[in-house]
Amino acid sequence: MTQTAQIKQTFPNGTAEVAVIRQGACAHNCSECGGCMTAAQPTVTALAENTVDAKVGELVVVETENAQLMGIIAFVYLVPMVLLVTGYLLAQAFGLTQGWCILAGVIAFGVSVLFIVALDRWVKRRKSIQFRIVAHKEA
């Protein structure tokens, strides 16, 4: 996956802090919306491998591994729904009333949130999602 980012800071070890525009907030069609990097657009800061020797303030293209990112996205969106439905259906299979089935679904959903928090901490600890600057962004 490639995204547009702005260099916020560079480091001697070949990395840079980048501000990545959240994809949902930017259509990457600057001529239509008046330009990128306005204060109204939400951004996420991350460290990226600076392979093109980009300087502070420059717009660059950053990429990350699609397969790993898609796996994490699938986990975050699918596991809560699967556990919610599974909790409800499991309680229903035991013959519990609708109120108890709903409660079982909510508890299972809560457990999925704990799984997601654990995944988030694991990804941050391992630095599993790595950004790499691959090109300077053409204006």
Side-chain angles (χ1 to χ4, degrees):
M1 176 192 304
T2 61
Q3 295 179 321
T4 301
Q6 183 179 32
I7 304 293
K8 293 295 182 186
Q9 187 176 1
T10 59
F11 302 103
N13 65 356
T15 61
E17 181 181 82
V18 295
V20 181
I21 301 170
R22 291 187 54 197
Q23 288 287 48
C26 182
H28 297 294
N29 192 354
C30 298
S31 62
E32 299 232 348
C33 73
C36 286
M37 298 302 183
T38 61
Q41 293 176 329
T43 59
V44 176
T45 58
L47 286 178
E49 182 182 347
N50 191 356
T51 60
V52 297
D53 195 33
K55 306 294 182 221
V56 174
E58 291 181 343
L59 288 178
V60 294
V61 177
V62 296
E63 75 175 9
T64 187
E65 292 291 324
N66 276 348
Q68 187 174 25
L69 189 60
M70 290 303 160
I72 291 170
I73 290 170
F75 184 88
V76 168
Y77 282 99
L78 294 177
V79 167
M81 297 313 302
V82 168
L83 285 182
L84 178 109
V85 171
T86 301
Y88 183 91
L89 293 176
L90 196 59
Q92 190 177 41
F94 281 107
L96 299 176
T97 63
Q98 186 175 10
W100 286 108
C101 292
I102 291 171
L103 180 62
V106 168
I107 290 170
F109 183 83
V111 168
S112 74
V113 170
L114 295 176
F115 286 151
I116 291 169
V117 169
L119 174 67
D120 179 57
R121 290 181 180 168
W122 180 77
V123 166
K124 285 180 183 175
R125 204 171 35 249
R126 288 192 66 226
K127 296 182 179 162
S128 295
I129 299 177
Q130 298 290 329
F131 289 100
R132 183 174 50 256
I133 301 169
V134 292
H136 292 274
K137 179 76 173 173
E138 299 298 323

